[in-house]
Amino acid sequence: MQLRLRGLSWLELARRIEVSSQAVQQTAAGRPSIPIERALADQLGVEPEELFPEHWSPTGERIPKERAALHRAKNTRFATSHHVEKKGAA
């Protein structure tokens, strides 16, 4: 949404921060990347915590990459059933 408000695209942002548009899209989709998150936040004039709240704890600490998916899952309505299905399938 912020991209549209600023008249930017994924491709334009990627060019500005000198990474691939796929890297920007993956980061925006939830794949943690601290350098890309910081660069995107700088381009948009916000803090990384505002842009990617799912990667930060309520106390303002960075959630380690390994735990980001678990943290995201804990904060969704269907997390429990999804987690149980995956665990049972393994």
Side-chain angles (χ1 to χ4, degrees), residues 10-24 35-36 39-40 43:
W10 293 124
L11 185 59
E12 177 62 27
L13 267 180
R15 285 181 182 152
R16 287 183 179 191
I17 65 171
E18 300 177 349
V19 298
S20 71
S21 60
Q22 291 85 1
V24 171
I36 293 176
L40 291 173
Q43 287 295 312

Side-chain angles (χ1 to χ4, degrees), residues 27-30 49 51-57 63 68 71-72 75:
T27 302
E49 297 89 344
L51 198 54
F52 299 98
E54 68 277 10
H55 298 169
W56 299 86
S57 73
I63 299 169
H71 179 73
R72 206 171 27 254
N75 292 308

Side-chain angles (χ1 to χ4, degrees), residues 22-84:
Q22 291 85 1
V24 171
Q25 290 172 340
Q26 288 174 349
T27 302
R31 184 176 187 175
S33 172
I34 294 171
I36 293 176
E37 290 174 25
R38 289 186 198 281
L40 291 173
D42 285 346
Q43 287 295 312
L44 297 172
V46 298
E47 294 296 320
E49 297 89 344
E50 293 177 64
L51 198 54
F52 299 98
E54 68 277 10
H55 298 169
W56 299 86
S57 73
T59 60
E61 295 178 43
R62 177 66 185 192
I63 299 169
K65 185 175 180 177
E66 306 81 49
R67 291 184 31 225
L70 177 61
H71 179 73
R72 206 171 27 254
K74 281 181 159 181
N75 292 308
T76 61
R77 285 195 283 169
F78 62 91
T80 306
S81 63
H82 180 67
H83 181 69
V84 170

